[in-house]
Amino acid sequence: ILAVMDDDILRASLEVARRSMNAEGLLKSAQADLDMKTLEQEKLKQLRERDHASQQEVDRIQTEIRIAEARLLSVKEDLEVKQLEFRRIESQLKQRQVVA
């Protein structure tokens, strides 16, 4: 490396991207929500078989499961975008170096 251009802003952006990419709170929350709704669906199906729950309740939880699955997918997609952002910033940092 012969020279490095000022890259403080990119390094700070890289650290933000690194932490965003590794943040798993939303992912765990979305997965837990889906798990809870799936368990609730199983219980409602059992209750429905014994006529202790309405079909409307079963239909409602099925819709909630689809929403929870979509939310989980959205969180996963966001994390993938954050990983790509991290790689993009890494590439930008490499471009700031003059190499012989």
Side-chain angles (χ1 to χ4, degrees):
I1 296 175
L2 297 176
V4 176
M5 292 187 245
D6 183 18
D7 61 2
D8 290 343
I9 293 173
L10 280 176
R11 290 204 179 276
S13 296
L14 184 66
E15 185 58 30
V16 169
R18 180 187 329 274
R19 290 181 187 225
S20 295
M21 174 180 78
N22 293 325
E24 294 185 5
L26 287 176
L27 181 63
K28 288 181 180 180
S29 172
Q31 184 63 57
D33 187 46
L34 178 59
D35 293 345
M36 180 183 67
K37 292 190 184 312
T38 302
L39 182 61
E40 186 178 346
Q41 179 187 36
E42 292 304 316
K43 290 179 181 179
L44 276 172
K45 282 183 178 180
Q46 291 172 2
L47 289 172
R48 179 69 184 134
E49 289 172 1
R50 292 181 267 158
D51 287 330
H52 294 305
S54 69
Q55 185 60 43
Q56 183 179 6
E57 291 174 299
V58 174
D59 294 343
R60 177 192 52 81
I61 195 65
Q62 288 173 340
T63 300
E64 288 180 10
I65 286 174
R66 286 195 300 273
I67 292 169
E69 288 170 340
R71 181 172 171 246
L72 180 60
L73 179 61
S74 177
V75 169
K76 287 179 179 180
E77 290 170 345
D78 285 346
L79 286 174
E80 287 174 11
V81 168
K82 289 175 182 181
Q83 289 172 350
L84 292 171
E85 177 71 12
F86 177 81
R87 285 190 222 127
R88 182 182 65 80
I89 295 171
E90 276 185 324
S91 295
Q92 287 176 334
L93 276 170
K94 288 178 185 174
Q95 289 177 340
R96 309 279 295 177
Q97 299 174 350
V98 178
V99 180

